[in-house]
Amino acid sequence: MNKQRMSFGNLTINQRLFVLIIVFIALPFFLLGSFWYQSSTEAIEKFAVDTNKRIIEQTNVSLDSYINNLENSTYPFIHNPQIQQLLSAAHLTPYQYFQLAKKVEDDLFAQMIYGRSDIIGISLVAGHQRQITDYEQAPGLLDMAEIRKRNLSYLSRMDQLSDFQILGLSKVGPTPSLTIARKLYDNSSFLYKGLLVVDLNLQQIAAICTNDSLGGFNVWIMGSEGQIMYHPDSSLIGTKVEESLLRRLESRGSSSFFRHQDPVSPAEKMVIHEQSRIAGWTVVADLPLNSLIGNLIMQRNYSLAAAAVLIGISLALVGGFSLSLTRPLVMLQKLMARVEKGDFVLPAKTHSFRNNEMRAVFHSFYRMTDELKRLIREVHTSQLKERELIIKQKESALRSMQSHINPHFLYNSLEIINSYAIADNHMEISRMTRALAHMFRYNISHAGSIVLLREELAHIQAYLELQQARFRKLEVELDVDERFVTRVQAVRLTLQPIVENVFIHGYRGRKPRYIGISARAESSCFVIVIRDEGSGMPPEKLTRIRRALQSAVYPGGDLHAEEPQGEATSGIGLMNVHERLALTFGSGYGLQLIHSAPDEGTIFEIRLPYTADEEASACTN
């Protein structure tokens, strides 16, 4: 009970009033109307079923009488002498066969056909390809060869037939017909040797179904295999009964009734059926429910419409009353939702309410949002100052590193050494001296300045020349398209720390043997790939470095803060390179660790931007 009170107490005023109207007005009205409609519908349906079930029973009686009459009319053929002569004679001359056929047609066929309008034709089929046929009553031209072929197929499966059997529907010319067969046996051997095949039109069956119908619904016949034997719609004769209806007819037994929704027609029907005891057919009547309970449905719809109007008026009155109470609360709820999402741009303070308490709540809310905006501005300003301080600290650290050596003294000394080397024809020493002088000259420039990729590549080539002089077996592969070296921007001293990291960490404890620098142009950036074949990294270190590079949205992260002493990268470090690129060009650029595994080497990628005037051209290439 307490749970119900608590849940009801959590509802708004509008919701409470709506619940009261629905529970005490709408729901009782709906339940009473449903009970009235259900009981009335069941009473009308029961009356309709009882009335029409008698019609179906009478139709079945008439059909059984019709089939019995057909069966009785075939009995004279069983012991007729001419039939016995046709069945037992091994050989007949053409003249004898002609005379015998003439007698059968005049004496037997004429007797059976006389006075019956439902017989289209009769066939007498025996062994040795003997057939006597009479289809003079059939309308139109017939293909007798096709009829003879059909009769022989019946004779070939005579063992599967009963003495008198309805074979089903067929077509005699353009006319649909019902075919029945009587097995004929030889009196001397008592073996079945022939068939009497009779083709009937459906006029008599149609008359039975039509005469027993009261109108307004269809009475039709379904065969034992689910085929429609007769239907008022002639286009359905011979077709298969719709699958869902067939399953229900077969599962309901020999006599029953049920509602059925035709998938083709939206109208729902009441289906009544009963199975014939002799023919094995099922007589079905489908009654549109609209014709049975149409007026009841109309009255129900009027009642529901009136109830809907009354409930609508009640809800409108309740809504208007509660709106004056809940509108300020809903407005305040929306404003608070905007503030929760970080939107502090609120409408002007133009709300006027008659309730003093509500006016005070809104004033307090606006004072709170103003104070929140002030605090956010202070936090944002302090973050910007902290970021600027970190950048200045890193730049001063780099300048301090560069100032440890007198660049002019070293550069002049290297020039003198180069001159002596050329004079004494020591070209290898001269080449190394020039490379070292190039590095000193490049390093004395401002570390944060933006340069072209061409300058960075020239600098790293000088560095690698010195490393190759030190490690004779070191293989250097440099594959960068010359078309892009003047169209891509970089920050000074971007490549050297990454390459130094290869020699310090990648080849620790072993001789360097390979370092490769390649590049590829993408639509949004230019990618420098640096790979080695060194010792690689264990998975935990790889994960830590990747996490540090991905989370370094703002400067200040130390890539090797968790590593023991001696493990930190020499120089400005990998993290410094990544942060300088991200701060200079944006968060989409910087350093990425692509792959590293023990004894498989390491792959780094540096993402650099295109120059503004060449960006479109680089993207397309």
Side-chain angles (χ1 to χ4, degrees):
M1 191 67 181
N2 291 332
K3 293 183 178 179
Q4 292 179 354
R5 289 179 179 175
M6 288 178 61
S7 61
F8 186 77
N10 292 331
L11 299 178
T12 64
I13 298 175
N14 275 334
Q15 291 173 340
R16 293 183 187 184
L17 292 174
F18 289 159
V19 167
L20 291 175
I21 291 176
I22 291 173
V23 171
F24 293 103
I25 298 177
L27 186 60
F29 184 86
F30 174 77
L31 293 176
L32 290 175
S34 299
F35 174 76
W36 167 77
Y37 175 74
Q38 186 67 26
S39 59
S40 302
T41 302
E42 290 177 356
I44 294 176
E45 286 181 358
K46 186 176 183 304
F47 174 77
V49 168
D50 292 341
T51 302
N52 292 282
K53 192 172 182 181
R54 290 192 291 271
I55 296 175
I56 300 302
E57 292 173 352
Q58 183 60 42
T59 302
N60 256 330
V61 171
S62 300
L63 285 174
D64 289 345
S65 175
Y66 176 64
I67 298 301
N68 277 330
N69 180 265
L70 285 173
E71 184 178 5
N72 293 335
S73 64
T74 61
Y75 279 122
F77 287 80
I78 297 177
H79 301 291
N80 185 270
Q82 286 86 5
I83 300 298
Q84 291 298 320
Q85 182 181 355
L86 180 66
L87 297 177
S88 60
H91 299 286
L92 291 173
T93 64
Y95 182 73
Q96 291 175 333
Y97 181 72
F98 173 76
Q99 282 188 323
L100 185 59
K102 183 67 173 173
K103 289 182 179 180
V104 169
E105 290 177 6
D106 294 341
D107 297 343
L108 293 176
F109 287 178
Q111 180 181 356
M112 185 174 182
I113 295 174
Y114 181 75
R116 298 189 67 110
S117 60
D118 57 339
I119 296 180
I120 298 176
I122 303 177
S123 299
L124 185 60
V125 190
H128 307 291
Q129 303 290 324
R130 298 170 181 170
Q131 292 193 45
I132 303 174
T133 59
D134 186 354
Y135 281 83
E136 292 183 0
Q137 301 292 332
L141 298 176
L142 302 181
D143 185 358
M144 294 305 299
E146 187 67 27
I147 293 177
R148 291 176 180 275
K149 181 179 178 181
R150 181 204 66 176
N151 293 339
L152 290 176
S153 69
Y154 291 153
L155 183 66
S156 65
R157 54 188 179 94
M158 183 171 58
D159 294 340
Q160 305 171 12
L161 305 178
S162 56
D163 290 349
F164 179 83
Q165 184 165 336
I166 300 173
L167 297 177
L169 291 174
S170 61
K171 277 213 170 185
V172 177
T175 307
S177 64
L178 178 66
T179 304
I180 63 173
R182 160 71 72 182
K183 292 169 64 173
L184 303 174
Y185 60 86
D186 183 4
N187 288 337
S188 59
S189 62
F190 294 101
L191 296 176
Y192 289 107
K193 293 186 177 181
L195 276 178
L196 176 67
V197 180
V198 182
D199 291 305
L200 305 161
N201 58 41
L202 302 179
Q203 294 177 359
Q204 189 64 31
I205 295 177
I208 293 173
C209 294
T210 303
N211 290 338
D212 290 334
S213 171
L214 294 179
F217 57 91
N218 295 323
V219 176
W220 49 280
I221 301 173
M222 181 186 75
S224 57
E225 296 181 356
Q227 187 182 31
I228 296 178
M229 309 299 294
Y230 167 76
H231 198 283
D233 184 358
S234 59
S235 63
L236 298 178
I237 296 176
T239 61
K240 194 77 172 178
V241 177
E242 186 263 320
E243 188 65 28
S244 61
L245 178 57
L246 178 60
R247 287 197 301 269
R248 299 189 70 178
L249 288 172
E250 291 177 345
S251 62
R252 293 283 179 154
S254 60
S255 179
S256 180
F257 65 92
F258 54 87
R259 286 189 177 192
H260 178 68
Q261 180 72 48
D262 192 345
V264 178
S265 173
E268 190 176 11
K269 300 177 180 180
M270 175 66 69
V271 177
I272 308 171
H273 66 95
E274 184 170 343
Q275 190 171 11
S276 170
R277 293 181 296 275
I278 295 178
W281 294 344
T282 301
V283 179
V284 184
D286 47 30
L287 298 83
L289 282 178
N290 189 42
S291 64
L292 295 176
I293 57 176
N295 294 330
L296 185 62
I297 293 176
M298 186 179 300
Q299 294 177 9
R300 179 202 61 180
N301 292 340
Y302 286 151
S303 301
L304 292 177
V309 170
L310 292 175
I311 293 174
I313 293 174
S314 301
L315 294 178
L317 294 175
V318 171
F321 172 73
S322 62
L323 187 62
S324 61
L325 300 177
T326 59
R327 187 173 65 88
L329 296 177
V330 172
M331 186 181 302
L332 181 61
Q333 184 181 12
K334 291 180 179 179
L335 293 175
M336 294 180 67
R338 291 175 60 176
V339 173
E340 288 177 358
K341 296 178 181 178
D343 182 9
F344 289 91
V345 182
L346 302 177
K349 306 174 185 179
T350 58
H351 311 295
S352 58
F353 305 104
R354 298 178 182 177
N355 193 315
N356 293 330
E357 290 82 0
M358 193 60 62
R359 189 182 304 112
V361 169
F362 267 82
H363 288 330
S364 299
F365 172 75
Y366 275 103
R367 285 197 301 270
M368 179 191 69
T369 55
D370 291 339
E371 182 66 16
L372 286 175
K373 284 191 287 186
R374 186 186 65 80
L375 294 174
I376 289 174
R377 282 196 299 268
E378 290 182 359
V379 172
H380 182 65
T381 303
S382 64
Q383 287 179 344
L384 290 178
K385 290 181 179 179
E386 182 182 359
R387 180 176 177 182
E388 183 180 358
L389 179 60
I390 292 173
I391 295 173
K392 290 181 179 179
Q393 288 176 347
K394 291 187 177 293
E395 289 180 351
S396 63
L398 183 59
R399 292 193 187 98
S400 176
M401 177 199 70
Q402 293 174 341
S403 65
H404 288 168
I405 301 175
N406 189 328
H408 296 289
F409 172 76
L410 290 176
Y411 183 69
N412 293 334
S413 300
L414 289 173
E415 287 295 330
I416 295 171
I417 294 172
N418 184 37
S419 300
Y420 279 110
I422 294 174
D424 293 339
N425 199 25
H426 293 295
M427 302 310 296
E428 183 67 19
I429 297 176
S430 174
R431 185 177 62 82
M432 294 176 59
T433 304
R434 286 196 306 271
L436 186 58
H438 179 277
M439 288 188 61
F440 279 127
R441 184 186 299 113
Y442 192 81
N443 285 340
I444 65 174
S445 302
H446 191 274
S449 60
I450 298 176
V451 297
L452 294 177
L453 180 60
R454 176 181 60 191
E455 299 178 39
E456 273 295 287
L457 289 176
H459 174 67
I460 204 62
Q461 282 178 320
Y463 175 80
L464 290 174
E465 286 180 5
L466 294 174
Q467 293 289 5
Q468 282 183 305
R470 180 184 176 190
F471 304 105
R472 296 295 181 178
K473 294 184 178 181
L474 174 62
E475 178 185 357
V476 176
E477 182 180 1
L478 187 61
D479 183 18
V480 180
D481 195 338
E482 292 293 333
R483 296 177 300 169
F484 290 96
V485 295
T486 59
R487 298 159 60 181
V488 177
Q489 300 179 27
V491 176
R492 189 180 297 275
L493 296 179
T494 297
L495 296 179
Q496 182 181 341
I498 313 302
V499 176
E500 281 183 347
N501 188 73
V502 172
F503 289 98
I504 296 174
H505 298 284
Y507 290 108
R508 174 177 295 176
R510 63 175 71 181
K511 295 288 185 180
R513 61 176 181 271
Y514 172 81
I515 184 169
I517 301 176
S518 60
R520 68 176 184 272
E522 295 185 356
S523 60
S524 59
C525 63
F526 190 79
V527 181
I528 304 294
V529 182
I530 302 174
R531 66 178 71 233
D532 64 73
E533 297 179 355
S535 57
M537 304 179 189
E540 60 274 8
K541 183 175 181 180
L542 174 66
T543 302
R544 186 171 65 253
I545 294 177
R546 280 181 171 170
R547 184 168 58 246
L549 292 173
Q550 292 173 357
S551 62
V553 179
Y554 295 101
D558 188 358
L559 181 62
H560 303 284
E562 300 177 1
E563 296 183 357
Q565 185 68 25
E567 290 290 322
T569 305
S570 63
I572 59 176
L574 301 178
M575 197 64 186
N576 188 278
V577 172
H578 177 69
E579 291 178 350
R580 286 194 296 123
L581 289 172
L583 289 172
T584 304
F585 299 123
S587 60
Y589 304 96
L591 181 64
Q592 291 186 4
L593 177 52
I594 303 303
H595 172 76
S596 185
D599 298 325
E600 292 184 10
T602 304
I603 301 176
F604 283 99
E605 285 188 0
I606 303 175
R607 297 181 173 269
L608 301 173
Y610 297 102
T611 57
D613 54 343
E614 294 290 344
E615 184 174 356
S617 175
C619 292
T620 56
N621 290 336

